[in-house]
Amino acid sequence: MKRVVRPRVIALVAAGALAIAAVSVSAIAQVDAAKSSVTATGKQLGVPMDIKFGKFDAAVNYNPANVAASTAKVDIDVTSVDVGSKEYNDELKKKDWFDTAKYPKATFVSSAFKPGAGGKVDVVGKLTIKGITQDVTAPFTFRQEGATQIFEGALPVKRNAFKVGDGEWKDTSVVSDDVTIKFRVVIAKK
């Protein structure tokens, strides 16, 4: 009996091979956690305060020769929030702040990369915090060091737009509404 290989079977096998290749490529390029950081900076009673996030992951496909074809997705583990005090860390995990029991991650997904001002690149996308999604634009700088790609930038946001610091904390006279999310993402290709 002659075995006939149908085009649909070939297409499925090819799709499977592409999926395996894609997984292999993403496994090769990884965030270098020791050299990367995400920090939110705001002011409490006029004094600058940094909120660090110890865990996050980024999938960045950036091509400086074809910026428009680039993509990025960043997931921040909001439960890893750290301001240097267990008491304050626990407070920031509560419902009025990040509500980490319900929303353990904040996510950014790009929709476009464009040349920006002063040699920077603007990444446009959607930022989701506490289930609220806003359109944002983050200017960043890029540099290549061998096989390593380094992205650094700052994204200004309004915390009240995401209901971070809700309830009695919504008032901006104690904690400012203006927050800057600073990021340094180092992607190391192995």
Side-chain angles (χ1 to χ4, degrees), residues 164-177:
V164 174
D166 214 11
E168 69 178 287
W169 296 105
K170 191 171 187 172
D171 178 12
T172 59
S173 66
V174 176
V175 179
S176 68
D177 195 24

Side-chain angles (χ1 to χ4, degrees), residues 146-183:
T148 301
Q149 294 182 322
I150 302 167
F151 306 88
E152 294 179 299
L155 170 62
V157 297
K158 301 286 187 185
R159 70 174 177 85
N160 280 324
F162 296 97
K163 296 187 178 182
V164 174
D166 214 11
E168 69 178 287
W169 296 105
K170 191 171 187 172
D171 178 12
T172 59
S173 66
V174 176
V175 179
S176 68
D177 195 24
D178 295 317
V179 175
T180 302
I181 301 170
K182 299 176 184 175
F183 58 91

